[in-house]
Amino acid sequence: MSEKILVLNWKSNKTASEAEKFLGEVENISSACRVILCPDYVSIPMCSKIVKDRGLNIILGAQDISRFGVGSYTGEVNGKALSEFVEYVILGHVERRTLMGDTKEVIKEKMKRSKEFGLKTILCVENVSELEDMSPDVVAFEPRDAIGTGKIKTVEEIEKALELISRETNTPILYGGSVDLGHLQSLLEVSDLSGFLIGSASLRVETVNSFVKILF
Ligand code: PGA
């Protein structure tokens, strides 16, 4: 692996007090690596404060962004508000595509908003066509049948997908989908992989501490 990135996607799993406990227990990470923590909106400001106060080498990201700018959009969290706390935004996660109706057009608008407010994007894709007209900073290859199912893809399957994706983009490419400590060693054999996006495995601080030790 050349550049190493670990994205922790907490999804809608932790309360603010659980997030606080996690950040109180996570071991500090060497400055040579990029760990991007993506809590839900409610916990982001508090996580940002703890990261600063503890001097943790953790970058914050959001799990989504409003497709609209600042204004009368009840319930939305816009890029300007996010930019005070986070550096990255996850876009196009398969859960948003399938459960929340994020179409390609919506994702394109969200990408535009992210850039407008100076946020870097981590675009989750299942196939190369989802990269069309997109210009993300990081791509995560995320096959839907591997997400949250424990059914990890093989090294060969991931390498094949990565090869196709890397023909379309020069960005770092991550893999996501049921990555856990048990699979990590074999996944480290995947060539040209820049890191991982982890969901369930990101929830336990002991697991994250171990990930960081192995990866960095
Ligand atoms: P998982 O989630 O690690 O729990 O499969 C990954 C993801 O949502 O991308």
Side-chain angles (χ1 to χ4, degrees):
M1 262 188 227
S2 43
E3 192 189 17
K4 292 165 190 163
I5 301 171
L6 180 65
V7 179
L8 313 178
N9 180 11
W10 279 352
K11 308 189 182 183
S12 187
N13 281 299
K14 280 194 191 295
T15 62
S17 46
E18 287 163 353
E20 184 177 13
K21 187 167 183 290
F22 179 104
L23 287 175
E25 292 170 1
V26 74
E27 284 169 22
N28 211 350
I29 297 156
S30 93
S31 56
C33 51
R34 245 196 296 173
V35 173
I36 304 169
L37 172 65
C38 304
D40 67 14
Y41 289 141
V42 174
S43 299
I44 285 176
M46 185 206 64
C47 288
S48 163
K49 186 171 183 324
I50 298 175
V51 163
K52 276 196 200 114
D53 290 351
R54 276 200 68 198
L56 294 171
N57 182 35
I58 288 178
I59 301 164
L60 286 178
Q63 298 171 18
D64 191 31
I65 182 174
S66 175
R67 63 197 275 213
F68 305 105
V70 177
S72 302
Y73 305 104
T74 303
E76 291 292 288
V77 179
N78 68 63
K80 187 175 181 196
L82 287 175
S83 67
E84 291 193 355
F85 300 103
V86 307
E87 204 174 304
Y88 284 86
V89 177
I90 298 175
L91 294 179
H93 190 281
V94 74
E95 286 153 13
R96 293 218 55 92
R97 291 182 196 258
T98 56
L99 303 173
M100 272 65 85
D102 279 14
T103 60
K104 191 156 188 196
E105 282 315 302
V106 168
I107 297 165
K108 251 172 31 187
E109 285 174 30
K110 289 181 173 183
M111 179 152 295
K112 204 170 138 222
R113 291 294 172 200
S114 304
K115 290 187 185 300
E116 194 179 317
F117 293 110
L119 298 166
K120 295 180 193 142
T121 55
I122 302 164
L123 179 67
C124 301
V125 301
E126 227 188 331
N127 54 58
V128 185
S129 66
E130 289 166 349
L131 274 169
E132 213 178 72
D133 299 331
M134 301 285 179
S135 47
D137 297 281
V138 177
V139 171
F141 167 54
E142 298 234 311
R144 78 181 60 194
D145 58 352
I147 295 176
T149 58
K151 291 185 193 147
I152 195 111
K153 292 286 164 191
T154 64
V155 169
E156 293 71 31
E157 285 170 319
I158 300 171
E159 280 178 345
K160 211 165 148 194
L162 253 55
E163 214 244 299
L164 295 174
I165 293 171
S166 60
R167 282 189 209 159
E168 304 296 319
T169 176
N170 292 323
T171 65
I173 307 173
L174 317 180
Y175 170 76
S178 295
V179 179
D180 208 343
L181 281 176
H183 302 118
L184 192 55
Q185 282 306 340
S186 66
L187 289 173
L188 287 172
E189 287 167 24
V190 176
S191 39
D192 299 326
L193 189 63
S194 292
F196 301 97
L197 188 157
I198 59 174
S200 326
S202 72
L203 298 176
R204 291 190 60 233
V205 72
E206 299 82 5
T207 309
V208 171
N209 285 336
S210 303
F211 257 90
V212 167
K213 276 193 199 109
I214 295 169
L215 279 178
F216 307 111

